[in-house]
Amino acid sequence: KTSIKQKKAHLMEIQVNGGSAADKVDFAHKYFEKAIPVDAVFAKNEMVDTIGITRGHGFEGVITRWGITRLPRKTHRGLRKVACIGSWHPARVSFQVARAGQNGF
């Protein structure tokens, strides 16, 4: 029995800027598989540009994922649904219709 809990490796891509291509390779080679001190990358009071993504929320229904209105209490087959997902023809669901699925990353 294996107790594998973590699925993603602890990897991070970091872009190296400044200087020539040889300088960038030397900098990366010098700190390869080592802890990089903060003062080697950033200067004091330097402006930093960051990029972030939303937190993943897993598989969620249409009410939570898209914020649509619930159906009335006396609805027959559940009320946390979309009442009509489209007409008979065209015989496919349009991409604009709110559906359940993965919310976030």
Side-chain angles (χ1 to χ4, degrees):
K1 180 182 171 188
T2 60
S3 60
I4 299 173
K5 296 205 175 10
Q6 183 180 338
K7 293 184 179 179
K8 276 188 158 180
H10 292 297
L11 293 177
M12 181 185 277
E13 252 183 52
I14 300 173
Q15 181 177 348
V16 179
N17 290 329
S20 65
D23 294 339
K24 295 177 190 179
V25 171
D26 291 338
F27 178 83
H29 191 266
K30 185 167 98 175
Y31 289 111
F32 186 67
E33 292 188 344
K34 293 185 186 117
I36 302 173
V38 175
D39 58 347
V41 181
F42 303 110
K44 189 172 181 179
N45 296 329
E46 184 180 5
M47 295 294 282
V48 179
D49 214 2
T50 60
I51 298 171
I53 59 169
T54 60
R55 192 169 166 207
H57 296 281
F59 193 94
E60 290 191 336
V62 287
I63 305 287
T64 307
R65 191 175 181 212
W66 299 108
I68 63 162
T69 309
R70 277 183 16 179
L71 294 175
R73 177 185 61 83
K74 294 175 80 172
T75 309
H76 178 44
R77 289 194 177 106
L79 46 83
R80 296 181 64 88
K81 297 171 176 275
V82 176
C84 178
I85 59 170
S87 56
W88 191 301
H89 286 313
R92 57 192 162 273
V93 180
S94 175
F95 73 92
Q96 290 108 333
V97 178
R99 306 289 275 162
Q102 177 70 28
N103 195 8
F105 280 92

